[in-house]
Amino acid sequence: MSVPRHKLMYSAFVVSVVGLIFMIVAACAVSTDAQVVKNTCWSTGSPNEFVDVYVGLSGVAYQLHDTGTDEDGKLKFTNWEDYECSSGDADLCDKSGDCKTAATGLIATAILGAVTQLGQLTTDLQRSTIAGDLNCQKTMGIVTGIFGLVSTLYSLTGFTASCWHVSEKMTVGPGLVLIAFGNIFKLYDVFCHAILPTPPHRHQGGGLALQKSINNA
């Protein structure tokens, strides 16, 4: 039984689009807008009873409350260069430098992850037709998918260790969840490329083989 080429690769395309959306939203955490960082932060928590923090990639958004000052309720942003830990949690403050390094190191990863996802979409579409399917496209679909998945998830371990698991007062943010799932979705794309064979005429030359491939599609 032949693999339903169009349905298989179109499903891979749809999953890849969802993954792209997830990664674009996660990449918005590079913003210096306080509201954007709050909505797309990669880690969040309340280091003490007076402040909520939202860790982005370029800096930290924070919101004070119950301080009895005019600053209560105001959402502000500070970049990593100007950030000073004042949570009162010694362990958390000691790790703030590591968090800065991990977060800024992921800026390129977050942006490139979304950009390279576009190439995955074009590969999915190209392999959906016999005429456009190439041996190199299958190889690229598998290799780049696995490499992107492994390299990104490995990079995320540094962030989780320095900005999330560093304290029980911190928890995972929506941005980290989205980029993780956006990359895990690559597994389905890799699976589709792996089980879909390239057309016979790509292995044996000749117009007759091409015509048979088209007739059997």
Side-chain angles (χ1 to χ4, degrees):
M1 181 178 179
S2 62
V3 178
R5 175 179 298 274
H6 291 82
K7 291 182 179 180
L8 184 67
M9 296 316 300
Y10 284 160
S11 68
F13 176 81
V14 171
V15 172
S16 296
V17 168
V18 175
L20 174 62
I21 294 173
F22 282 9
M23 286 190 280
I24 289 176
V25 175
C28 288
V30 304
S31 174
T32 56
D33 181 272
Q35 190 62 54
V36 173
V37 173
K38 178 180 179 180
N39 294 337
T40 62
C41 65
W42 286 31
S43 180
T44 183
S46 300
N48 60 49
E49 65 271 26
F50 301 114
V51 63
D52 298 324
V53 298
Y54 309 92
V55 181
L57 300 183
S58 299
V60 178
Y62 63 94
Q63 191 167 26
L64 298 175
H65 52 83
D66 300 326
T67 63
T69 68
D70 294 338
E71 297 300 308
D72 281 353
K74 294 181 180 179
L75 183 63
K76 295 185 177 182
F77 175 86
T78 181
N79 58 42
W80 285 116
E81 286 70 24
D82 300 327
Y83 178 73
E84 293 183 5
C85 181
S86 57
S87 69
D89 187 323
D91 291 337
L92 194 58
C93 288
D94 288 343
K95 289 292 185 178
S96 62
D98 295 337
C99 184
K100 169 187 174 180
T101 301
T104 54
L106 282 170
I107 292 177
T109 299
I111 296 175
L112 289 176
V115 172
T116 55
Q117 187 80 351
L118 296 173
Q120 187 171 308
L121 297 178
T122 58
T123 302
D124 293 342
L125 290 179
Q126 185 164 348
R127 293 209 65 209
S128 67
T129 65
I130 286 178
D133 197 1
L134 300 170
N135 294 326
C136 62
Q137 290 294 325
K138 175 171 182 171
T139 302
M140 287 289 290
I142 297 174
V143 174
T144 58
I146 294 176
F147 178 79
L149 171 67
V150 174
S151 61
T152 300
L153 293 183
Y154 177 77
S155 298
L156 295 182
T157 59
F159 182 89
T160 58
S162 301
C163 304
W164 170 18
H165 292 157
V166 65
S167 170
E168 62 182 13
K169 298 176 182 178
M170 300 299 293
T171 186
V172 63
L176 184 59
V177 173
L178 288 174
I179 196 169
F181 274 101
N183 278 276
I184 290 173
F185 285 172
K186 291 179 182 291
L187 288 174
Y188 181 73
D189 194 77
V190 169
F191 171 76
C192 290
H193 283 293
I195 67 171
L196 180 65
T198 52
H201 70 274
R202 298 300 182 188
H203 305 278
Q204 53 187 32
L208 180 58
L210 172 59
Q211 187 60 49
K212 287 182 178 179
S213 296
I214 295 176
N215 292 337
N216 293 330

